[in-house]
Structure formats: C-alpha cells, structure tokens
Amino acid sequence: MKEGKEEIELIKEGKRLDGRGFDELRPIKIEVGVLKRADGSCYFELGDNKVIAAVYGPREMHPRHAQDAKMAVVKFRYNMAPFSVDDRKRPGPDRRSVEISKVSREALDPVIMREYYPKTAIDVYVEILQSDAGTRTVGINAASVALADAGIPMKDLVSSVAVGKIDGEIVLDLNAMEDNHGEADMPVAMVARTNTITLLQMDGRLEKEEFERGLKLAMGACHQIYELQRAALIDRYSESVDV
Amino acid sequence: MYKVVVPGDFISEAASRAGEGTYVEDGKVYAMRYGIVDERGGIKVVPLSGKYVPAEGDVVIGRIAEISFPFWIVDIASPYEARLHMSEFADTRDEKIEFGSMSRFLDLDELIVAKVTNVDAVMRVDLALKEDFNLRSGGRLIEIPHTKVPRVIGRSGSMVKMLKEKCNCFIFIAKNGRIWVRGREDNMNLATEAILKIASESHTSGLTDRVADFLDSLKREKGRR
C-alpha cells in the first residue's frame, strides 16, 4: 500500500495538503429528517464525503425464522453509489461493503435498546453518495442520528472518526489522498459520554506510542462530532414557528 | 417552555422519579429517546417519533389485512399485527360464520374500531370489536404519527373540542394515530388541514390558539371565494 508508488509530499510547512493542521477535522454539515418516507434519516457531510442514512422500523421481521422473540434485530447496509468514487464502482454488495456493514452494525449495537421491540427488525441503510476516505465513520455518525430521529430507544449516540499516519506524523481524519499515500489509517467509533469504544480497526502499521496518541486524538474528535450530532437533533425542533 | 433531549442526555439526579423514555445509570437519569422532557409527576421523555406499540385497553382503528380462519388479521399501524376472533361476530348475528364466509362480515381493507383486549409476552395482540363506532356510514381516515395524538386531543380535550366546534365534524381519535372524521366534505377538508398542521407543529407552544386562528382564516378565505 505504501511502497512502489510515487512519493507524494503530504505535509508542507507543517500543514496538510488541504491546509488543515494535524488535529483538525474536515468541515461537517448535518441535516436531520431529510427523507420524508423513512422513519428516521440524516444527511452527513464530512469534507467531500456525502452520506445519507435512512432508518425504517421497528417493523415486522422477514423472514419470520430470523425473528428474535426477545428483541429487535438490527440490519445494517452500507452501500457505495457507483458514482461515489473517481473510477465507477461496480454496483452491489462486495467483500468490503459486507464487512463494513457488519462492523458498523456492531458499532451501533451496544447503544440500541433492542429489547423494547421484540420480534421486529430495525433496518438501517447507509448510502455513500460521494466518497473521500473515512466513509464508514461518516456512515456510523449518520446512522446514529437517523436512529434517534426514528424514535428508537437508545442509551446514547455513537460518534466516529478516523486517525492515521502520513509522512511520519499522526493526523486526524484522513482524506482520500492522505489515505492512499499514507502509512496507516485507523477508524474509531465510540460513545462520547462514557468513552466506550465500539469500533476500532487499523490498516497499516503504528508504533505503540503512535497508536496511543492517535486513539487519544480520535477520542477527542469524537466528542466534537457528538456535540454537532446533538446540536443537529436539538435544532430541528427548536426553530420557532411563525404565526 | 419545553426542553428537547437526545438519547444519552443527562436529565436529573432524582433516580426514584425516573419514568418512561428514561433510563438510570449510577443513580442518574438519562434520556433514552429523542423527545421532550416532562417533569410533571415523574421524569418522562415524551418521544417525538417512533412506532406504536399496542397496550391492553387501547382503542385503535384497524384495517383488515388478511383473513385466516378463525381470525381476521388486522393492521393497526404498528410493527405488530393484531387478530380479531370470529366469535366477535357470532354473538351479534343469527347466521353462523363458516369457513370461507368470513369476508362477508368483514372484508379485506375494511376499517374497524377495536379495543386491545390482550397483549401477551410474544406480542400477540387480541382485539375486541367496538360496534358502537360504525365506520361504514361514511367519513374519512387521517393518519398521523401516534406520538402526536396527545396534542390533537389537547389538555383535557381542549384541542379536539375546538376542532369539532369549528369544523362541525364528528372526530374520533384512536390511540394508534388514526383519526376518523365525518361531516360535510368542505368541513372534513378543514379538519384534515388542521389535524395535519397540529401533527407537524406538535412541539410548539400555544398551538390550540394558533390552530383556531388558522381555521378562522381558512373559513374567511372560503367565504370570500
């Protein structure tokens, strides 16, 4: 992943290619309730990542034999639009998206109080409309807001971000250029209130000390993202209605 | 003033007062749902959205979804379907209901008013017909999220009373968010608009007065035309 490619200078004069500092997130935009026919939905932008999440349910679980008599079943589908990347992505599920769906579902699972809706299914659909690295973290952020919007009982929101290593430096929230030419990428998801980590993956290599520094950086950023997610939900109902 | 909370928000230290829509962790009360805090009585979070879950005693409007002898399977706008037993009709008719003849009494897609008589541990829902409400004599169905039903009723029925007076309609509000309106066509249109407005602005205060003004202005507009 690192060797054999032309060397690209990712850090110039202490700044990254897009002008960010090492511990800076890309700009975030969150909109709640963007889909009229979904029970809950959220549009989430992180830099050039554009992601929409839709939640349907709790609703009747099909097929019946997959029902859980004691709790709801959460189904999560991560899907990249064919036009979301530079080279057209072959549509449909593939090894990568199946894995991301699984880990994302498991990242949200600890906060969803599934026992309130036995025998039902909660369907979460995450569509990546435009991708610029870190889409699984954006998907988790969007899905978490959409689940709250759908009125699903939850203990907390989940927030997620990636850290990585480029040109020997630990930096927050890699973009596609940094991801492709960097040395490591590590997505993290966590419950901000309790600092509980619900997803941790790593691609590439980090020293123990670098890993610890990166994790701390990611956890700090998750708190920032949490505040934005919360504000987006609150804002939706605080706008006054003019008479 | 109302306070909007999201899941995980800290609400109070008074764990003993924790009620619906909240959970307690380390002696503190947190919100379990996205909704509005209500501290009258216990500490509750009234959800802004979510699916209807039937409870014993609820009166609902259902739609016949399937006939499966000896039950009618009824859609009650919930993740759980309900069933109405054939015997609900047997008492009231001379004719005996036989296999294959159930649709003559209640056919697919027909609407009924029913009371939830039992919900068991595996969420099997039983209904009893309430025949004092006959939907066959005409009217219109309006569907809103069940979480908005308390606003359409209003504090001690103030909102629905105002709607009935201003729209001159019969209005029946079921627990599952289905509302039956019966009256003159133009009056039903008025009621429909008002109810949809209440549902979309249910989180704001002073709603009853605003809806009353809204109905007055609609009527004035209509008078001019």
Side-chain angles (χ1 to χ4, degrees):
Chain A
M1 164 180 164
K2 295 108 231 167
E3 256 54 68
K5 281 187 195 154
E6 53 179 312
E7 282 297 307
I8 290 185
E9 208 184 348
L10 293 169
I11 297 176
K12 280 179 188 154
E13 293 157 12
K15 290 273 182 209
R16 297 203 248 163
L17 290 180
D18 54 9
R20 279 186 291 159
F22 297 165
D23 58 353
E24 240 179 284
L25 283 167
R26 286 174 279 181
I28 290 174
K29 184 178 152 195
I30 310 175
E31 264 180 71
V32 186
V34 288
L35 301 175
K36 213 172 170 187
R37 308 207 50 183
D39 294 309
S41 59
C42 173
Y43 172 75
F44 203 112
E45 256 183 47
L46 173 69
D48 285 334
N49 286 305
K50 296 179 181 175
V51 171
I52 206 159
V55 171
Y56 297 86
R59 60 184 178 185
E60 217 179 316
M61 173 79 194
H62 285 292
R64 271 231 157 98
H65 66 80
Q67 282 181 354
D68 186 327
K70 291 215 167 111
M71 49 184 78
V73 174
V74 178
K75 294 192 278 180
F76 192 108
R77 191 184 74 163
Y78 166 99
N79 186 51
M80 275 185 124
F83 51 81
S84 63
V85 275
D86 288 341
D87 292 318
R88 178 186 133 93
K89 189 220 167 249
R90 204 177 118 88
D94 50 21
R95 191 201 57 76
R96 178 177 169 277
S97 65
V98 170
E99 177 203 303
I100 293 177
S101 302
K102 178 184 181 288
V103 296
S104 302
R105 190 190 72 237
E106 288 170 357
L108 294 165
D109 216 43
V111 300
I112 301 174
M113 293 168 130
R114 292 159 52 201
E115 58 279 11
Y116 279 83
Y117 290 92
K119 290 170 74 179
T120 61
I122 299 169
D123 287 292
V124 184
Y125 296 100
V126 165
E127 295 290 326
I128 311 299
L129 305 176
Q130 188 173 296
S131 156
D132 190 43
T135 52
R136 78 191 64 190
T137 68
V138 185
I140 291 167
N141 290 334
S144 160
V145 173
L147 281 164
D149 181 39
I152 310 281
M154 293 158 86
K155 294 192 101 164
D156 282 288
L157 298 177
V158 177
S159 312
S160 180
V161 76
V163 287
K165 185 178 171 186
I166 54 168
D167 289 358
E169 295 284 350
I170 298 297
V171 297
L172 183 68
D173 187 20
L174 306 185
N175 63 26
M177 185 70 108
E178 293 169 333
D179 189 20
N180 291 338
H181 301 278
E183 291 110 277
D185 174 32
M186 180 169 83
V188 178
M190 75 168 202
V191 178
R193 182 173 65 83
T194 56
N195 283 329
T196 310
I197 290 174
T198 62
L199 174 141
L200 181 61
Q201 295 182 293
M202 185 159 77
D203 181 11
R205 282 164 194 265
L206 292 176
E207 297 287 331
K208 183 163 179 270
E209 180 275 329
E210 291 173 329
F211 167 79
E212 280 163 0
R213 200 145 46 87
L215 191 59
K216 224 174 135 191
L217 195 59
M219 288 172 81
C222 281
H223 281 102
Q224 288 179 39
I225 293 170
Y226 168 75
E227 290 304 329
L228 295 170
Q229 288 172 303
R230 187 171 177 277
L233 283 164
I234 302 264
D235 279 354
R236 180 156 184 235
Y237 281 104
S238 57
E239 99 241 27
S240 58
V241 176
D242 40 83
V243 186
Chain B
M1 242 343 254
Y2 58 90
K3 186 175 139 208
V4 180
V5 289
V6 309
D9 277 4
F10 167 78
I11 304 177
S12 161
E13 304 266 358
S16 59
R17 294 180 61 227
E20 250 176 89
T22 68
Y23 68 94
V24 177
E25 201 175 279
D26 298 329
K28 290 176 182 155
V29 186
Y30 296 94
M32 189 178 78
R33 303 183 82 157
Y34 178 33
I36 292 165
V37 181
D38 179 0
E39 299 209 35
R40 289 170 299 178
I43 299 167
K44 283 190 296 183
V45 173
V46 182
L48 289 158
S49 53
K51 289 285 168 79
Y52 169 71
V53 177
E56 200 180 317
D58 286 358
V59 176
V60 297
I61 295 180
R63 205 193 90 252
I64 307 296
E66 202 181 316
I67 297 173
S68 165
F69 188 82
F71 292 103
W72 283 279
I73 308 294
V74 186
D75 156 44
I76 50 168
S78 158
Y80 305 105
E81 56 190 18
R83 25 177 236 183
L84 179 73
H85 195 261
M86 186 186 80
S87 63
E88 281 297 317
F89 261 102
D91 308 341
T92 55
R93 313 287 141 120
D94 298 333
E95 192 185 352
K96 197 165 165 268
I97 304 178
E98 274 164 19
F99 186 84
S101 71
M102 285 178 76
S103 62
R104 287 204 284 117
F105 297 86
L106 274 176
D107 207 352
L108 292 180
D109 274 346
E110 212 167 313
L111 296 172
I112 57 165
V113 178
K115 190 172 188 165
V116 178
T117 54
N118 187 47
V119 181
D120 71 8
V122 291
M123 297 309 288
R124 241 196 326 251
V125 183
D126 288 308
L127 298 179
L129 206 57
K130 280 182 77 81
E131 293 201 78
D132 40 336
F133 286 101
N134 191 353
L135 303 184
R136 281 173 173 162
S137 53
R140 186 188 290 182
L141 182 75
I142 303 168
E143 281 198 72
I144 61 166
H146 86 280
T147 48
K148 321 277 186 185
V149 162
R151 273 333 280 271
V152 180
I153 294 170
R155 199 162 294 166
S156 60
S158 56
M159 182 73 90
V160 67
K161 188 161 165 274
M162 183 274 291
L163 284 175
K164 281 178 179 169
E165 278 166 13
K166 295 232 185 246
C167 302
N168 195 19
C169 277
F170 167 82
I171 298 175
F172 170 71
I173 304 164
K175 205 71 190 269
N176 58 341
R178 289 182 175 158
I179 300 174
W180 191 255
V181 180
R182 184 162 57 220
R184 251 174 40 201
E185 196 67 21
D186 52 344
N187 287 336
M188 287 200 291
N189 288 341
L190 275 180
T192 309
E193 283 203 50
I195 289 167
L196 294 180
K197 184 180 169 71
I198 295 167
S200 71
E201 296 174 17
S202 64
H203 59 288
T204 60
S205 38
L207 193 55
T208 310
D209 293 338
R210 206 162 54 246
V211 173
D213 291 346
F214 171 73
L215 282 172
D216 287 338
S217 72
L218 277 185
K219 280 199 226 170
R220 251 180 281 124
E221 222 174 90
K222 208 180 63 188
R224 239 183 280 133
R225 255 188 273 129

